[in-house]
Amino acid sequence: DLLDPACGSGTFLVRAAGRLLERLDNRNVPPEEAVEIMQERLWGFDLNPFACHITEMNLLFQIIDLYKEVKDENPDYSLDRFHVYQTDSLRRQTQTSMTATFSDALLRSYERERREADRAKTRENYGYIVMNPPYVRIQNIQNGPAKEDYNDYYSAYHNYDLYLLFIEKASEWLREGGK
């Protein structure tokens, strides 16, 4: 599996998707199986919810022809979402900000996605990590719970940049022998 913990609009994930699609096509993997592999192997996190939606759309564009083939063969087929989560990659738990003004169904969906993001962040078996992490000095982060969590990292020494924390965290996410 490949993870981009600061995926933005999904540039690295889209490139990886293109390469994976090419390999699956060369191996004559059936369309439905290829779609499932694509959705299971690519993972992304980002703080910005809009960036996460753009990433999912960009990944969907990569598999749209396969999806059409599958849908033509099986009109009842439905496409699951990609593993792209709006979360702070560097914090243990995804912070909730939903209020009771939303429907119960929406709150349950949001909570389910939050739990999925938290599980994805605790994995230690990704085969590949690709990223262009934010280059932000700790002095530019607002005081609060996030900054306190960032200061718990081993790399958080004196005058540091967030990209160091991403590198430290990436070493935890990678399986042994991962790249």
Side-chain angles (χ1 to χ4, degrees):
D1 295 357
L2 181 139
L3 169 67
D4 183 347
C7 67
S9 62
T11 301
F12 291 151
L13 290 173
V14 168
R15 281 290 285 206
R19 292 179 73 168
L20 182 54
L21 275 172
E22 188 177 312
R23 291 181 75 188
L24 295 171
D25 187 47
N26 289 342
R27 293 180 180 173
N28 296 317
V29 174
E32 187 170 348
E33 187 179 343
V35 168
E36 290 170 6
I37 290 170
M38 295 292 293
Q39 289 184 302
E40 190 54 39
R41 299 280 171 91
L42 302 172
W43 297 73
F45 308 144
D46 203 278
L47 273 175
N48 185 322
F50 184 67
C52 291
H53 290 296
I54 297 295
T55 297
E56 283 200 83
M57 287 176 34
N58 285 334
L59 289 171
L60 178 59
F61 291 143
Q62 296 297 304
I63 64 163
I64 199 73
D65 292 335
L66 286 175
Y67 173 70
K68 184 183 178 325
E69 285 182 53
V70 174
K71 195 73 172 168
D72 287 346
E73 288 179 27
N74 178 5
D76 295 329
Y77 180 80
S78 66
L79 192 61
D80 291 330
R81 290 188 56 195
F82 285 91
H83 296 291
V84 177
Y85 301 106
Q86 188 252 323
T87 185
D88 185 336
S89 299
L90 299 175
R91 297 182 73 191
R92 285 189 182 89
Q93 286 193 317
T94 300
Q95 304 305 306
T96 58
S97 62
M98 296 286 281
T99 65
T101 59
F102 293 96
S103 72
D104 286 345
L106 183 60
L107 282 171
R108 282 193 303 275
S109 174
Y110 182 80
E111 283 299 313
R112 183 177 58 252
E113 184 168 323
R114 184 191 62 76
R115 285 191 303 275
E116 290 171 10
D118 289 344
R119 273 195 300 276
K121 290 191 308 186
T122 59
R123 284 182 55 184
E124 296 178 349
N125 64 345
Y126 291 100
Y128 300 91
I129 308 280
V130 295
M131 64 179 159
N132 181 17
Y135 292 83
V136 178
R137 305 296 289 170
I138 193 60
Q139 294 87 345
N140 295 329
I141 302 293
Q142 223 176 349
N143 287 331
K147 191 171 188 175
E148 291 170 17
D149 288 350
Y150 299 158
N151 284 327
D152 289 339
Y153 279 83
Y154 180 78
S155 305
Y157 178 74
H158 190 55
N159 185 20
Y160 65 92
D161 202 303
L162 284 186
Y163 79 88
L164 292 171
L165 308 185
F166 274 87
I167 292 169
E168 179 180 332
K169 192 66 180 162
S171 70
E172 296 172 15
W173 283 319
L174 275 176
R175 70 172 183 242
E176 193 169 325
K179 301 177 180 190

